[in-house]
Amino acid sequence: MTLTQLRFLVAIADAGLNITLAAERVHATQPGLSKQLKQLEDELGFQLFTRKGKSLETITHAGGHVLERARTILAEAANIRSIAANLRNEARGDLRIATTHTQARFVLTDAIAALSRIYPQVSVHLQPGRENDALALLDGGQVDMAIVSTSGTPPPAGIALPAYRWNRVVLAPDTHPLAKLPRELSLDDLAAQPLISYDSSQKPESSLRRAFDAAGLLPQIAITAGDADLIKTYVRAGLGIGILAEMALLPRDTGDLRALPADHLFARCTTWIVLRRESVLREYVLEFIERFAPHLDRRDITRAMAAGTHIAEGVAVPHWRERQLADDGVAAA
Amino acid sequence: MTLTQLRFLVAIADAGLNITLAAERVHATQPGLSKQLKQLEDELGFQLFTRKGKSLETITHAGGHVLERARTILAEAANIRSIAANLRNEARGDLRIATTHTQARFVLTDAIAALSRIYPQVSVHLQPGRENDALALLDGGQVDMAIVSTSGTPPPAGIALPAYRWNRVVLAPDTHPLAKLPRELSLDDLAAQPLISYDSSQKPESSLRRAFDAAGLLPQIAITAGDADLIKTYVRAGLGIGILAEMALLPRDTGDLRALPADHLFARCTTWIVLRRESVLREYVLEFIERFAPHLDRRDITRAMAAGTHIAEGVAVPHWRERQLADDGVAAA
DNA sequence: CGCGTTTACGTCGTTCGTAACGATA
DNA sequence: TATCGTTACGAACGACGTAAACGCG
């Protein structure tokens, strides 16, 4: 058994059992991987994959267990390398973040810009996807951190650090009757309109859905999109009323759209930075977290990692707007 | 970085930084280890050990972290091999148990005998020591399980499965006044005598010490020994009254010694089987546990391992004497 | 002078890439 | 026929063991 063999194994698994694809990803030749896989199977004495003809078909049950162990072995090997890189103040490296489109597009930009100013040699890889995908990538060791949002409790896996809180806003065309409503918006107002929101609002456990359920209302979600830009586009086209995260608002949106606060209608959400419990963080990762969530102290983070528990309690988590103000303050200073 | 390099690293650490000794233990030559260590240090870019002249002096701070990671890597590699060995019904293997002398000498014998009858090719290694040593060995991956006793809560680390409960007994020479006491033994009776007990009874948190403390008494512990046989020897020599675990009583001891129950004087103790949370158990390990603690079901064990929690609650844990009866019943059947 | 580590060197095994072959859709 | 995996072969690298040199107590 070799680290190389295990690396090839997970590469094959991550490439969807396509050995050729896996080979390019690890910068090796395809026969090399084939052979190493065969040797590993010979040594262990059982098939890691079921074959259909010559192609790999599925992972064996036992193979899945081996794969899991191989992943943690490789993660720990990477940790050792991180220890070394931190010690020598190595400035190069990768920062792989799995997150949603909203975070990547509207929230992370400043912190990433700051990071690549301080560490120009660090390349940032953003892996957009659903919340669950992000957590799965984190657990599989494919990314260094996941940045996800929940309403209420932190995500179940890993070390979750609260980054900030935010509310939803309702977005209507300037010309729409709702945009000039003389009173506060109500859930009934919204239930009467075709709505446009994120894909995730389809799920029954979404805080959007729960708010309507609690009021005994059945909203008509006309269009869902994974992407705030798409939502805005459809709102502009007059196809419905948008409900989205307040971070997704841009100054120029106020030209033809009207954003109505919805704090009183939907549960407040929290965005979390989720880290692998066992991972050794590179210096620039800590730097990034501090830039992104300035209320988190370096020591808080390392302490939470050591204790293996998230630090939801006992940390004052700023709201999105306060956070924006704080950022401005920093920029002005 | 190679698995071999990491194996050599932990071998060197476990050999007390003596490369020559480490080399014999891993069945390799000393220059080989030296060279691999050097290569690893070169690759990581820092010293894993501080040198004094040519000899290794201490482990670097960062080296300690690397060592820790290396240990889990090797443990996971061993897990992969265990998966393979289980799958091919491999009958050979090692069972390394860290435990106290009392367990090894008086309690484990039957289960080990049964195991080596069923799996003659499995070699059992008993590692005697204190409770804390046993848990440290378990945590370092040097042993497969620890078998330790506590009064009350399970040991903090690993998966703890309750094996059985037991009480202390007081041991006096047949001729001693205490042996013919017409009434029940009291703590005052004991406090008036020179006592002979285990080394661990010196510790303030021992249940022995706590019982006397609670009664406001200061016992005179005249002799301590790590070993029940020694305690008996000194009791026979008339040097004091013995206090030891009821398991340590043998039928032939009743010839010249008198055992007095002490259930009402000292807190009941529990003996735990402690496993590493992440370890894959070989078939024969499950077999051993079932033999040793028949009230534990194979499924209970795997479930507890998967859940990562001990199963202290919800399991009826037999008392030592009931357990003995049950064993007899099995033997008779 | 013994113990332990490092350095030097030769041999062996292994890995890796190129190329040809085979199977499958 | 195109795609993907296996087998074959040769070159280069790396690991390992033996032998000798070096430092230290």
Side-chain angles (χ1 to χ4, degrees):
Chain A
M1 186 173 359
T2 328
L3 282 180
T4 314
Q5 289 171 346
L6 300 179
R7 213 178 72 238
F8 288 179
L9 170 64
V10 319
I12 291 173
D14 287 346
L17 278 52
N18 180 332
I19 299 186
T20 308
L21 177 57
E24 337 188 315
R25 291 204 188 152
V26 300
H27 305 105
T29 61
Q30 180 273 326
L33 270 76
S34 263
K35 195 166 191 178
Q36 292 299 323
L37 175 61
K38 189 178 180 51
Q39 283 192 10
L40 182 57
E41 287 182 325
D42 285 351
E43 180 181 338
L44 296 181
F46 66 94
Q47 301 275 103
L48 292 166
F49 299 97
T50 59
R51 315 298 215 271
K52 181 177 176 183
K54 291 196 164 185
S55 297
L56 306 185
E57 192 65 4
T58 59
I59 304 188
T60 306
H61 180 70
H65 287 177
V66 172
L67 183 64
E68 212 174 306
R69 310 279 161 184
R71 285 211 141 94
T72 89
I73 287 178
L74 294 181
E76 290 292 20
N79 281 339
I80 290 178
R81 278 184 262 267
S82 287
I83 292 172
N86 278 342
L87 222 70
R88 60 159 74 163
N89 285 322
E90 174 69 60
R92 280 174 305 179
D94 292 298
L95 174 57
R96 301 163 303 167
I97 305 176
T99 187
T100 58
H101 177 266
T102 301
Q103 303 297 332
R105 168 100 163 69
F106 301 102
V107 186
L108 293 178
T109 44
D110 287 349
I112 291 177
L115 183 71
S116 49
R117 188 160 17 85
I118 309 169
Y119 291 95
Q121 310 231 51
V122 171
S123 59
V124 179
H125 305 277
L126 289 171
Q127 195 88 28
R130 314 285 178 80
E131 320 267 297
N132 288 341
D133 300 346
L135 293 176
L137 283 174
L138 181 73
D139 194 55
Q142 274 101 321
V143 298
D144 301 309
M145 71 173 66
I147 299 180
V148 301
S149 304
T150 66
S151 58
T153 56
I159 310 285
L161 311 173
Y164 66 93
R165 302 195 204 281
W166 52 275
N167 286 302
R168 288 197 172 71
V169 293
V170 169
L171 205 61
D174 252 344
T175 57
H176 194 282
L178 274 190
K180 0 185 135 72
L181 205 65
R183 53 178 172 76
E184 209 174 37
L185 200 65
S186 74
L187 280 181
D188 293 278
D189 297 331
L190 288 177
Q193 304 282 339
L195 301 180
I196 308 175
S197 190
Y198 299 108
D199 293 330
S200 60
S201 57
Q202 292 284 41
K203 292 187 300 184
E205 71 270 22
S206 84
S207 60
L208 196 73
R209 177 67 65 107
R210 278 210 306 261
F212 283 107
D213 283 352
L217 296 170
L218 187 68
Q220 181 205 347
I221 299 182
I223 305 177
T224 69
D227 180 328
D229 292 316
L230 283 174
I231 296 177
K232 292 182 201 168
T233 304
Y234 287 113
V235 170
R236 284 198 170 90
L239 297 179
I241 300 298
I243 302 178
L244 39 70
E246 58 181 323
M247 301 85 76
L249 286 182
L250 294 176
R252 65 168 171 278
D253 291 331
T254 55
D256 53 347
L257 297 175
R258 179 64 153 280
L260 308 168
D263 311 19
H264 57 298
L265 300 180
F266 305 112
R268 192 176 55 179
C269 291
T270 306
T271 294
W272 306 85
I273 301 171
V274 192
L275 302 168
R276 299 196 72 197
R277 179 163 289 118
E278 324 76 18
S279 64
V280 171
L281 301 182
R282 292 291 302 275
E283 272 303 310
Y284 56 76
V285 178
L286 289 172
E287 183 72 35
F288 172 80
I289 294 176
E290 281 189 330
R291 293 275 161 175
F292 179 52
H295 62 287
L296 293 177
D297 190 302
R298 227 181 184 72
R299 282 160 303 183
D300 289 338
I301 300 167
T302 48
R303 197 178 323 127
M305 296 288 290
T309 169
H310 38 74
I311 59 170
E313 334 301 337
V315 173
V317 183
H319 195 277
W320 170 250
R321 293 190 207 101
E322 307 159 18
R323 203 181 94 107
Q324 288 296 89
L325 292 174
D327 283 359
D328 292 350
V330 168
Chain B
M1 186 172 359
T2 326
L3 282 180
T4 314
Q5 289 172 347
L6 300 179
R7 213 177 73 237
F8 288 179
L9 170 64
V10 319
I12 291 172
D14 287 346
L17 277 53
N18 180 331
I19 300 186
T20 308
L21 177 56
E24 335 187 319
R25 291 204 187 153
V26 299
H27 306 105
T29 62
Q30 180 273 326
L33 269 76
S34 262
K35 194 165 193 180
Q36 292 300 322
L37 175 61
K38 189 178 181 51
Q39 283 194 8
L40 182 58
E41 287 181 326
D42 285 351
E43 179 180 339
L44 296 181
F46 66 94
Q47 301 274 103
L48 293 166
F49 299 96
T50 59
R51 315 303 216 265
K52 181 178 177 183
K54 292 196 165 185
S55 298
L56 306 185
E57 192 66 2
T58 60
I59 304 188
T60 306
H61 180 69
H65 286 178
V66 172
L67 183 64
E68 213 174 307
R69 310 278 162 185
R71 285 211 141 94
T72 88
I73 288 178
L74 294 181
E76 291 291 20
N79 281 339
I80 290 179
R81 277 185 263 267
S82 286
I83 292 172
N86 278 342
L87 222 70
R88 61 159 74 164
N89 284 322
E90 175 68 62
R92 280 174 306 181
D94 291 300
L95 175 57
R96 300 163 304 166
I97 305 176
T99 187
T100 58
H101 178 267
T102 302
Q103 303 296 331
R105 167 101 163 69
F106 301 102
V107 186
L108 293 178
T109 43
D110 287 349
I112 290 177
L115 183 72
S116 49
R117 187 159 18 86
I118 308 170
Y119 291 96
Q121 311 231 51
V122 171
S123 58
V124 179
H125 305 277
L126 290 171
Q127 196 87 27
R130 313 286 178 79
E131 320 267 298
N132 289 340
D133 301 345
L135 292 176
L137 284 173
L138 181 73
D139 194 55
Q142 275 100 322
V143 297
D144 302 307
M145 72 172 67
I147 299 180
V148 301
S149 304
T150 67
S151 59
T153 57
I159 311 284
L161 312 173
Y164 65 92
R165 302 196 203 282
W166 52 274
N167 286 301
R168 287 197 173 71
V169 293
V170 170
L171 205 60
D174 251 343
T175 57
H176 194 281
L178 274 189
K180 358 187 138 68
L181 205 65
R183 51 178 174 76
E184 211 174 36
L185 200 66
S186 74
L187 280 180
D188 292 279
D189 297 332
L190 289 177
Q193 303 283 340
L195 300 180
I196 308 176
S197 190
Y198 299 108
D199 292 330
S200 60
S201 56
Q202 293 283 42
K203 294 188 297 185
E205 71 271 21
S206 83
S207 60
L208 194 73
R209 177 67 65 108
R210 277 211 305 261
F212 284 105
D213 284 353
L217 296 170
L218 187 68
Q220 180 206 348
I221 299 183
I223 306 177
T224 69
D227 181 327
D229 292 316
L230 282 175
I231 296 178
K232 291 181 200 168
T233 304
Y234 288 114
V235 170
R236 284 199 170 90
L239 297 180
I241 300 298
I243 303 178
L244 38 70
E246 57 181 323
M247 300 86 76
L249 285 182
L250 295 176
R252 65 170 171 275
D253 290 330
T254 54
D256 52 347
L257 297 174
R258 180 64 154 280
L260 308 168
D263 312 17
H264 57 297
L265 300 181
F266 306 113
R268 191 177 54 178
C269 293
T270 306
T271 294
W272 306 85
I273 300 171
V274 192
L275 302 167
R276 299 195 73 196
R277 180 163 290 116
E278 324 76 19
S279 64
V280 170
L281 302 181
R282 290 292 302 275
E283 272 302 312
Y284 56 77
V285 178
L286 289 171
E287 182 72 36
F288 172 79
I289 295 176
E290 281 189 331
R291 294 274 161 175
F292 179 51
H295 62 288
L296 294 177
D297 191 301
R298 225 180 185 75
R299 281 160 304 183
D300 289 338
I301 301 167
T302 49
R303 198 178 322 129
M305 297 287 292
T309 170
H310 38 75
I311 58 170
E313 335 301 336
V315 173
V317 182
H319 195 277
W320 169 249
R321 293 190 209 105
E322 306 158 19
R323 202 180 96 105
Q324 288 297 89
L325 292 173
D327 284 0
D328 292 349
V330 168

